[in-house]
Amino acid sequence: MIVSMDIGGSKLALGLVTEQNELVRTRHRPMPSGLTAKSFLALLEREIGHMMSGIPDGEILDSIGAGTCGIVREGTVVFSPNTSWRSLPLADALREAFQVPVVVLNDADAFALGVYHYEFASRFRSIGVLTLGSGVGGAFVGPEGLFRGYSGISPEAGHTVIRAGGRLCSCGRRGCLEAYANQRVLLTDYRRKGGDRKVANGAELFRRFRQGDPAAAAAFTRYGKFLGVGMASLFHLYSPEAFVLGGGLSRAAPAFLPSLKSAMANQLIAGFPPRPQIFISRWREKASLLGAAFAVREQSGLWYISKETAN
């Protein structure tokens, strides 16, 4: 069996996946803030141990797959804006601890694989995904596999610049999409518009929206506007047949989808390919866990631009 993980900036989810791609057990916990690399690895080892205790008699742990926030290269978390991890050899550490094959990839990549191969069952030739929460993750997938640049690193959709010299982003640059479309900024905008300062997360804010709170409606409208501008640029670059939104904030889609679609339509070039369909993932975490397990089995399914082609 495969232990699959979805590692986010604020939460950790684990699952047991069978050879038949069935998710038979899950486990969740919040991710403590300020973890050092050492304490983070110790936490993962404990949580994987808990999952292994649920493996049925006669079955063994075959491998581990992990989707994690940040820039990932060959199993190493090179940089993660929402954590303190730098050059963390995550795959090597887990391989040494459990003595099984380990695949580590970006969390949006894992989500994209799960969405493409399982939730939508290859219904579209190409799909772009965005994961919405403490930041903005993005990935693009088609029949050849995940899109990669020649360096092997997945696209950083959240760090597409939508306003030169704009807000400071957690990555240290200014004007990134993620600097305008994350949960912290969403709540800040809500409070600046006179909203209740006790509202602590996107789920609570969405409840206020459904109750008719005008400050919540205004904050979500602004959030959707920036997402739409960023998605228009991504569509011009990658032209996916559909976009699928996931992550915790995607549950609030009714509050921001109208402004997202309007802003995106206003930014698209006339005569460009037909506008993409936009869906909200119903699987979310399930897609991420199945996608990480898929990556373990299909390590060769990556679509690279060769250096020769890039030149």
Side-chain angles (χ1 to χ4, degrees):
M1 302 191 78
I2 296 174
V3 169
S4 186
M5 294 186 289
D6 180 23
I7 305 168
S10 60
K11 54 81 182 174
L12 170 66
L14 302 94
L16 275 180
V17 182
T18 69
E19 291 184 0
Q20 292 74 38
N21 295 318
E22 295 176 347
L23 186 61
V24 294
R25 183 188 177 197
T26 58
R27 180 178 173 87
H28 310 81
R29 61 156 298 150
M31 183 70 76
S33 60
L35 284 177
T36 64
K38 183 177 180 180
S39 58
F40 168 65
L41 291 172
L43 170 66
L44 289 189
E45 289 180 18
R46 288 195 302 272
E47 293 298 322
I48 293 171
H50 282 302
M51 294 303 294
M52 290 175 63
S53 67
I55 294 178
D57 292 341
E59 299 281 352
I60 62 170
L61 176 65
D62 295 317
S63 51
I64 297 170
T68 182
C69 56
I71 297 173
V72 179
R73 181 188 288 130
E74 297 179 352
T76 293
V77 183
V78 179
F79 174 69
S80 180
N82 296 310
T83 71
S84 61
W85 314 327
R86 301 292 184 272
S87 299
L88 177 65
L90 183 54
D92 286 345
L94 295 178
R95 192 178 299 116
E96 181 177 348
F98 295 98
Q99 298 297 303
V100 296
V102 178
V103 172
V104 175
L105 68 166
N106 176 267
D107 55 352
D109 284 347
F111 177 62
L113 290 173
V115 164
Y116 183 80
H117 290 287
Y118 301 118
E119 184 174 6
F120 284 82
S122 301
R123 173 179 164 188
F124 299 103
R125 179 169 175 79
S126 61
I127 286 178
V129 304
L130 292 180
T131 54
L132 311 176
S134 56
V136 178
F140 298 85
V141 62
E144 296 88 355
L146 290 165
F147 176 83
R148 290 282 199 270
Y150 76 93
S151 65
I153 294 176
S154 58
E156 280 293 325
H159 300 286
T160 300
V161 174
I162 62 170
R163 181 171 291 183
R167 287 180 179 173
L168 181 65
C169 182
S170 59
C171 72
R173 297 161 65 244
R174 289 188 176 274
C176 298
L177 170 60
E178 185 169 302
Y180 292 88
N182 67 61
Q183 179 173 260
R184 179 182 57 79
V185 169
L186 176 64
L187 294 173
T188 298
D189 285 347
Y190 170 65
R191 292 162 186 156
R192 285 176 177 169
K193 298 177 189 304
D196 186 349
R197 292 185 173 274
K198 295 180 181 178
V199 173
N201 55 53
E204 292 179 21
L205 186 59
F206 183 49
R207 282 194 291 271
R208 294 300 181 96
F209 167 82
R210 298 181 71 175
Q211 293 166 1
D213 185 334
F220 274 120
T221 295
R222 182 175 172 83
Y223 176 84
K225 171 187 171 183
F226 287 122
L227 271 181
V229 171
M231 286 174 64
S233 293
L234 294 171
F235 182 65
H236 287 147
L237 287 169
Y238 298 102
S239 299
E241 191 175 353
F243 277 104
V244 179
L245 306 183
L249 280 178
S250 68
R251 291 180 170 87
F256 64 77
L257 206 53
S259 61
L260 183 160
K261 289 181 176 180
S262 176
M264 186 175 181
N266 289 337
Q267 293 293 321
L268 291 178
I269 298 172
F272 211 68
R275 294 174 183 174
Q277 299 182 65
I278 300 175
F279 299 92
I280 309 303
S281 172
R282 294 184 178 182
W283 286 20
R284 296 185 181 88
E285 176 190 284
K286 179 181 177 181
S288 296
L289 293 173
L290 288 177
F294 179 91
V296 172
R297 297 191 178 101
E298 302 291 335
Q299 294 185 60
S300 62
L302 300 177
W303 173 21
Y304 287 89
I305 299 176
S306 70
K307 293 186 179 181
E308 291 77 14
T309 302
N311 292 331

